[in-house]
Amino acid sequence: MRLTCSRDELATKLALAARAASTKSTIPVLGQVRLTAHEGIVELAATDMELSLRVPVEATVAEAGAVVVPRLATDIVRTLANGQVEFEHRANEGVVSLSGGHSSFTLNCLQATEFPELPADDGDALSVPVAPFVTTAERVARAASRDDTRPVLTGVLVRIGPDGITMVATDSYRLAVMQTPLENPPAENREAIIPARALQEMGRLAAAMKADTFDLILSESQAVFRIGGARLTSRLIDGQFPDYRQLIPDNFEHEVVFERAELAAVLSRIGVLAQRSAPIRLAFEPGQVTVSAVSEQLGEGHESLPVTFAGEPLEIGFNAEFLRDGVENITGDEVKLGLISPLRPGLLQSGGDDGYRYLLMPIRLNV
């Protein structure tokens, strides 16, 4: 195999592909990247057997072939001088030559025959606009659980149909749901629980490939994203996702409106003290709310804000990080917070109602 390609493009695409490589597997080839060169294209591929990614790079291919290189090649290519990069590998040899500018490297490599066969991407494809899909995923996926003991909660429920794109994620302490309309929605619903990690990688892939649409294939066991010549394949999560519609209350006793930027700034300041299990406290009384946090080790802080609150005083506590996440994902100038009682969840949404809902469980406060 012999090829020449742009340093900048190769560095970008290698870094992208390498994200699908395993960082924990005891099988060496799963932590590396396969290069396959043919007819003016070199395909970069990596997999951890749950997520796989194939990315094309334009190249001048003098001799077709394939080889598996260590992820270290990503760091080396990034540090080379601007211009062209040359790769060379002789069949059945255990090294690959890499050069650019005045630098040259010889790296140990594995044979392409050791690389696992990647999943096929055949099936009924649905054309989906990139922008609304990626935006919805970015705002929702952060609420997915990172605890593998409940696999279904590490995924995002994705539904595409007549109502547009709906995504839902929850870690049982918070729930994010967003519905985004489409100009030309499909006539029938397609639904799957896709790992949050796969949706996050899809966002990075979309930014790199700069395409307006992508093809989505949902089979019984996997999701395939085809975008700009690249292919991202992820296993689907099997299980019953919580019925989010039953979790979101229909009515609230109070609906408090905040200036979003002002609330975010206050939470950032006071939240410095809300470490570990210490909650952010919101004490409402007519016309104002006092935001506070108390830390036995560090001290305490509080700040008051004018708000549209009426009725009996109410104090509620939330996880500081989760509350900030919810506020940061609100668009527009205003945030609406729906409240029932100190022991019932609160609901954050935009003042302009853009289809995003963020439900947050309270923390019981010690008086």
Side-chain angles (χ1 to χ4, degrees), residues 6-344:
S6 162
R7 196 263 346 229
D8 289 345
E9 185 179 8
L10 181 61
T12 299
K13 301 294 178 59
L14 265 175
L16 193 64
R19 294 186 60 85
S22 175
T23 58
K24 301 177 182 179
S25 176
T26 57
I27 303 173
V29 75
L30 295 183
Q32 305 195 29
V33 179
R34 184 187 67 187
L35 278 68
T36 305
H38 54 85
E39 300 177 2
I41 292 290
V42 57
E43 181 188 76
L44 312 177
T47 182
D48 61 4
M49 303 306 290
E50 293 190 355
L51 184 79
S52 64
L53 184 58
R54 285 169 276 190
V55 186
V57 178
E58 293 184 1
T60 301
V61 179
E63 184 178 344
V67 67
V68 179
V69 301
R71 269 186 305 191
L72 178 64
T74 303
D75 298 325
I76 291 174
V77 170
R78 186 170 56 244
T79 61
L80 293 176
N82 290 331
Q84 297 294 299
V85 176
E86 296 182 4
F87 264 93
E88 183 173 358
H89 174 252
R90 295 180 181 177
N92 300 319
E93 289 191 355
V95 295
V96 61
S97 298
L98 167 61
S99 61
H102 298 292
S103 305
S104 61
F105 297 83
T106 300
L107 301 178
N108 294 335
C109 65
L110 298 176
Q111 301 304 310
T113 53
E114 299 180 51
F115 198 81
E117 183 177 353
L118 296 179
D121 60 356
D122 299 329
D124 185 15
L126 177 66
S127 180
V128 182
V130 166
F133 187 92
V134 169
T135 299
T136 304
E138 287 176 344
R139 296 179 68 184
V140 169
R142 291 170 67 176
S145 176
R146 298 176 180 87
D147 184 358
D148 291 333
T149 60
R150 299 184 66 185
V152 73
L153 298 188
T154 65
V156 177
L157 178 66
V158 178
R159 181 187 300 121
I160 302 179
D163 293 332
I165 300 170
T166 301
M167 294 192 194
V168 190
T170 180
D171 58 8
S172 77
Y173 302 103
R174 54 181 172 165
L175 179 146
V177 56
M178 184 170 180
Q179 183 174 327
T180 305
L182 295 175
E183 290 186 5
N184 298 297
E188 298 181 356
N189 279 321
R190 302 192 189 186
E191 180 176 303
I193 305 174
I194 300 176
R197 176 194 170 202
L199 294 177
Q200 290 162 350
E201 295 304 327
M202 167 57 190
R204 293 186 178 93
L205 185 62
M209 303 310 295
K210 299 178 182 178
D212 294 328
T213 62
F214 70 95
D215 290 336
L216 174 62
I217 302 172
L218 295 176
S219 67
E220 291 186 1
S221 61
Q222 70 178 25
V224 180
F225 303 85
R226 294 193 306 219
I227 177 169
R231 287 170 287 175
L232 172 67
T233 305
S234 171
R235 67 172 179 85
L236 297 179
I237 298 175
D238 189 24
Q240 184 66 42
F241 199 86
D243 187 349
Y244 66 94
R245 287 163 293 198
Q246 293 184 353
L247 298 175
I248 300 177
D250 293 327
N251 298 294
F252 294 89
E253 294 294 325
H254 306 280
E255 188 172 84
V256 187
V257 179
F258 297 87
E259 291 293 329
R260 190 189 67 81
E262 186 178 30
L263 177 60
V266 172
L267 292 177
S268 179
R269 287 190 289 269
I270 303 300
V272 171
L273 294 173
Q275 299 182 0
R276 297 181 180 178
S277 59
I280 281 277
R281 294 169 174 254
L282 304 179
F284 293 93
E285 56 185 275
Q288 76 169 18
V289 60
T290 299
V291 182
S292 64
V294 177
S295 169
E296 293 183 1
Q297 292 78 27
L298 301 174
E300 61 181 88
H302 59 86
E303 186 169 346
S304 296
L305 289 172
V307 293
T308 56
F309 181 87
E312 294 297 318
L314 180 154
E315 186 174 20
I316 190 169
F318 294 113
N319 177 288
E321 177 187 352
F322 293 171
L323 181 57
R324 282 198 302 268
D325 277 353
V327 173
E328 288 172 2
N329 274 301
I330 298 295
T331 59
D333 296 330
E334 293 183 337
V335 176
K336 290 195 296 186
L337 172 60
L339 296 170
I340 298 174
S341 75
L343 300 180
R344 297 288 299 278

